[in-house]
Amino acid sequence: MTLVWFWGKSRNNYAVIDVGWGLVIAGISTIFSWYGKGNLFAKLAVLIPIWIWAIRLSGFLYWTRIRTGHPEDKRYANFRKSYGNNVHRKFFTNVFLLQGFLALFLSFPAWVASAGELSLDSEIPISLFAGWILFLVGLAGETIADKQLHSFLSDPSQRGKVCEVGLWKYTRHPNYFFEWVIWLGIGILPLGFFGLASLGWVSMITPLFMFVLLRFVSGVPFAERSSLLSKGDSFREYQKKTNAFFPWFRGSGESSFSLNSLLEKDIFPDWLIRIRIRQLLDLRLKQETKENEELQLAHKIDYVNELKQSPIAVHTKAANEQHYEVPSEFFTYVMGPRMKYSSGYWPLGDQTNFAESEEAMLRLSLERAELQDGMTVLDLGCGWGSISLYVAEKFPKCKVTGVSNSKTQKLFIEARAKERGLKNITILTQDMNEFTIREKFDRIISVEMLEHMKNYEKLFEKLAKFLKEDGKFFVHIFTHKKFAYPFEVVDDTDWMAKYFFTGGQMPSDDLFLYFQKDFLIENHWIVNGTHYARTSEAWYENLLKHKDKVLEILKDTYGEKEKTKWFVYWKVFFLACAELWAYRNGEEWLVSHYLFRKR
């Protein structure tokens, strides 16, 4: 792999790794065969198909991509952007050495065969016939699929369209499927020398590993995302009628082997889900990182201008249903006693308990909002009333008006207020696109509501009219330290955007500073992300603690067949939040506080 790296460096195109990788696997397999103690026939039975595969793959990629001067593959172009000044060193350590290790792993069938015995005078093992048949079928299928795709892409009239010709009618990725069939055949070949009971089973690790790699890691997921970004709805229609991996008749759509369908069955351990979440977080940072600071700033300014052309909020009905379609009882089992559906504050780390973290963040927020007893308060996006009820209780002379887009939340807050004898609180149910009120307030407070908004310029213009001349606007919002980006549904990895944050966005910590036409920033704070990570872990632990009761609620809401799926979705949502805010010790994704005054 070192030689391949030097080749890529000299050409300034590290996509040559795809050409060299097959030859490296064949080379390692040859070394195993050379030093193995088995006889020549056993070694050649596996070595020959590996070399045929390597020469075909490497030749095809060289001829169609490297020789023609094809631009560097998007995967490697993204790596190049994220690696910055250390691009060559990091390509060597992070990509080429890793691929070298994988090449060693994929050479296991040759290693097993190198110790085998095969005599032409005795009965030929059936696994040898089966392995060669599978290998030849896979080789023919992959060659045909590659030729069909290459011909399709070479036709200018098909530019921007989805390839649905030949084998591509029956699977969205026939090249990957037949690649796996090739390795299934190679993995089966050595079984006749040893059987599954002894060394033979080791060779089957390779096709299993190749299936996971192609279906769930670097093959299908990357190709699907790229196609969705470039072809959009036409590819989504293709997904609906064509299986992802295993060939089948049109109209079958997603198979039961899709990552999402397996996730919904709750078969993955939580530690594995956490690993995958961290991988997706790494991917997100790479996607958002531009080549230099000039382009990074230009990208942010374009995003700001895009927000200024948007409605105040989009998909408000969907966002409301996603979080609040389940009854309030569900959240009473998950959240703390204050029903605070936002980050807590853990001043003593793990020595702070969940209930104390809610109280601490409520107290800190109101201190930073400079709230005083006797003020009028507008609580925007009041949720289950954590701020509204806290203000009404701790500041009895204040008059509190809470605004929510959920009737369920209104009823819940009013019931809690009645239980506590609080009469200084009013809850309104309105969409923020249409919300208006004649009263003017001393303070407007918004806790984790603005992530669901788009056009802050229009929103802030409206809110400024609701404030008294000396009034102030306090905001608590989650952010990224640098990047601002929308929650968009591109592929299966974006299910959080689909099920929890439709129409929302991840603001950058400085995003609101670009929207000061009606407000001026007076103060600005950052809360380390680990506070939110601990809060999310507490939600997750409560979900597991009350699993039986939660499943009953989800059954009543979605039905018996859907209850496990939605339990998993909520579990993974909390895990994703925990991992996101814990990333890099809470210094990447944050909680931001702002205090604005009217211009």
Side-chain angles (χ1 to χ4, degrees), residues 159-176:
R159 187 165 296 168
K161 296 181 181 179
V162 177
C163 179
E164 299 184 56
V165 299
L167 295 172
W168 300 83
K169 289 180 182 178
Y170 306 104
T171 164
R172 301 200 296 272
H173 303 281
N175 49 344
Y176 292 138

Side-chain angles (χ1 to χ4, degrees), residues 22-31 33 44 46-58 135 139 183 186:
L23 297 175
V24 168
I25 293 172
I28 294 172
S29 298
T30 302
I31 293 172
S33 297
L44 291 178
V46 176
L47 194 58
I48 288 173
I50 290 177
W51 269 106
I52 293 173
W53 164 81
I55 291 170
R56 192 213 73 84
L57 178 66
S58 297
F135 169 76
L139 186 69
W183 283 98
I186 292 172

Side-chain angles (χ1 to χ4, degrees), residues 83-306:
Y83 290 162
N85 295 330
N86 299 316
V87 59
H88 299 302
R89 178 178 61 81
K90 286 192 173 181
F91 257 111
F92 180 72
T93 57
N94 296 11
V95 180
F96 282 76
L97 286 185
L98 175 62
Q99 293 283 57
F101 172 77
L102 295 179
L104 184 67
F105 196 73
L106 291 173
S107 303
F108 276 1
W111 173 67
V112 174
S114 69
E117 295 291 336
L118 176 64
S119 173
L120 297 182
D121 296 330
S122 59
E123 185 178 350
I124 304 297
I126 191 170
S127 66
L128 205 62
F129 288 110
W132 266 96
I133 290 171
L134 284 170
F135 169 76
L136 293 173
V137 168
L139 186 69
E142 188 173 25
T143 302
I144 293 169
D146 284 341
K147 188 173 187 252
Q148 290 170 342
L149 180 62
H150 185 65
S151 298
F152 181 86
L153 296 176
S154 299
D155 184 354
S157 66
Q158 302 295 345
R159 187 165 296 168
K161 296 181 181 179
V162 177
C163 179
E164 299 184 56
V165 299
L167 295 172
W168 300 83
K169 289 180 182 178
Y170 306 104
T171 164
R172 301 200 296 272
H173 303 281
N175 49 344
Y176 292 138
F177 169 74
F178 286 110
E179 174 84 356
W180 174 70
V181 172
I182 286 173
W183 283 98
L184 180 62
I186 292 172
I188 286 174
L189 285 171
L191 293 181
F193 312 145
F194 300 99
L196 282 171
S198 57
L199 193 62
W201 70 269
V202 175
S203 70
M204 293 305 296
I205 294 176
T206 295
L208 177 61
F209 174 76
M210 185 60 83
F211 173 73
V212 173
L213 190 69
L214 291 172
R215 180 61 187 88
F216 299 120
V217 183
S218 64
V220 172
F222 182 83
E224 295 269 298
R225 189 172 188 90
S226 296
S227 296
L228 284 164
L229 288 170
S230 61
K231 298 178 177 66
D233 288 340
S234 60
F235 192 79
R236 290 187 180 91
E237 288 301 314
Y238 182 47
Q239 286 179 313
K240 290 178 183 177
K241 60 189 179 184
T242 310
N243 212 355
F245 192 76
F246 293 101
W248 199 245
F249 298 106
R250 302 303 293 271
S252 59
E254 292 295 333
S255 81
S256 59
F257 286 98
S258 73
L259 195 60
N260 242 22
S261 64
L262 295 175
L263 179 71
E264 290 168 3
K265 292 177 175 61
D266 203 13
I267 66 173
F268 295 125
D270 292 354
W271 62 266
L272 185 60
I273 294 172
R274 288 180 184 270
I275 290 174
R276 181 58 178 156
I277 290 167
R278 291 167 198 159
Q279 291 174 339
L280 293 175
L281 295 176
D282 289 337
L283 177 62
R284 168 59 73 177
L285 293 178
K286 288 173 183 175
Q287 290 171 337
E288 296 301 325
T289 301
K290 307 308 173 188
E291 292 180 17
N292 55 55
E293 290 302 317
E294 182 179 352
L295 292 176
Q296 198 73 58
L297 181 59
H299 177 73
K300 182 175 288 185
I301 296 302
D302 287 343
Y303 186 66
V304 168
N305 291 332
E306 181 184 327

Side-chain angles (χ1 to χ4, degrees), residues 340 342-345 358-371 387 390-391 443 445-447 474-477 525 527 591-595:
K340 190 178 189 315
S342 55
S343 177
Y345 189 64
E358 289 187 313
E359 295 281 341
M361 183 59 90
L362 289 167
R363 196 162 50 246
L364 178 66
S365 297
L366 296 184
E367 287 174 5
R368 291 177 172 177
E370 299 177 2
L371 185 69
I387 281 282
Y390 188 85
V391 171
R443 290 291 181 273
I445 296 174
S446 175
V447 176
F474 174 79
V475 177
H476 164 128
I477 191 170
W525 305 265
V527 179
V591 174
S592 298
H593 286 175
Y594 313 84
L595 186 62

Side-chain angles (χ1 to χ4, degrees), residues 352-596:
T352 302
N353 65 41
F354 190 17
E356 291 170 342
S357 76
E358 289 187 313
E359 295 281 341
M361 183 59 90
L362 289 167
R363 196 162 50 246
L364 178 66
S365 297
L366 296 184
E367 287 174 5
R368 291 177 172 177
E370 299 177 2
L371 185 69
Q372 298 176 18
D373 205 3
M375 287 183 168
T376 51
V377 180
L378 178 63
D379 181 9
L380 289 177
C382 60
W384 280 272
S386 59
I387 281 282
S388 293
L389 291 167
Y390 188 85
V391 171
E393 180 183 327
K394 302 295 183 181
F395 300 84
K397 295 180 182 178
C398 283
K399 181 184 176 184
V400 185
T401 301
V403 183
S404 167
N405 194 31
S406 167
K407 293 179 180 178
T408 304
Q409 290 180 332
K410 171 181 167 67
L411 295 173
F412 180 86
I413 298 168
E414 289 174 343
R416 282 284 175 99
K418 186 176 181 180
E419 288 172 7
R420 300 173 188 180
L422 302 174
K423 298 181 179 180
N424 55 340
I425 183 170
T426 302
I427 303 300
L428 307 175
T429 304
Q430 281 198 341
D431 185 326
M432 280 310 302
N433 280 308
E434 303 166 358
F435 174 67
T436 186
I437 192 168
R438 291 185 178 181
E439 187 178 353
K440 292 186 180 293
F441 298 87
D442 296 298
R443 290 291 181 273
I444 297 178
I445 296 174
S446 175
V447 176
E448 292 189 27
M449 186 272 286
L450 297 187
E451 298 91 335
H452 297 280
M453 302 294 107
K454 287 287 187 182
N455 193 329
Y456 297 117
E457 189 161 275
K458 285 184 180 178
L459 176 64
F460 289 178
E461 180 182 357
K462 176 185 284 193
L463 297 183
K465 296 174 183 177
F466 305 154
L467 269 181
K468 296 177 181 178
E469 286 307 310
D470 60 347
K472 296 182 180 181
F473 175 33
F474 174 79
V475 177
H476 164 128
I477 191 170
F478 59 70
T479 63
H480 183 268
K481 67 177 183 180
K482 185 176 182 180
F483 304 135
Y485 54 87
F487 291 117
E488 295 179 315
V489 180
V490 176
D491 62 14
D492 281 352
T493 65
D494 297 311
W495 65 269
M496 277 187 63
K498 183 177 181 179
Y499 294 109
F500 290 93
F501 286 113
T502 298
Q505 65 175 311
M506 175 64 70
S508 58
D509 178 61
D510 65 349
L511 184 63
F512 290 164
L513 305 185
Y514 292 92
F515 297 89
Q516 296 192 70
K517 181 174 71 70
D518 297 280
F519 287 123
L520 282 174
I521 189 77
E522 191 170 281
N523 216 331
H524 181 189
W525 305 265
I526 284 175
V527 179
N528 182 276
T530 54
H531 292 275
Y532 213 151
R534 285 192 171 94
T535 303
S536 302
E537 293 286 3
W539 292 338
Y540 163 72
E541 289 169 8
N542 277 348
L543 182 75
L544 298 186
K545 180 181 177 181
H546 300 290
K547 181 176 180 179
D548 291 342
K549 294 177 181 176
V550 166
L551 283 171
E552 280 299 312
I553 295 170
L554 296 176
K555 184 183 76 172
D556 293 340
T557 306
Y558 300 108
E560 178 68 33
K561 292 183 179 179
E562 296 283 297
K563 68 176 185 181
T564 300
K565 180 184 89 169
W566 280 99
F567 177 82
V568 173
Y569 278 4
W570 279 102
K571 180 180 71 171
V572 178
F573 173 60
F574 294 146
L575 285 174
C577 291
E579 291 297 331
L580 180 129
W581 276 289
Y583 193 90
R584 292 178 182 167
N585 298 315
E587 294 293 335
E588 194 72 37
W589 282 274
L590 316 162
V591 174
S592 298
H593 286 175
Y594 313 84
L595 186 62
F596 295 97

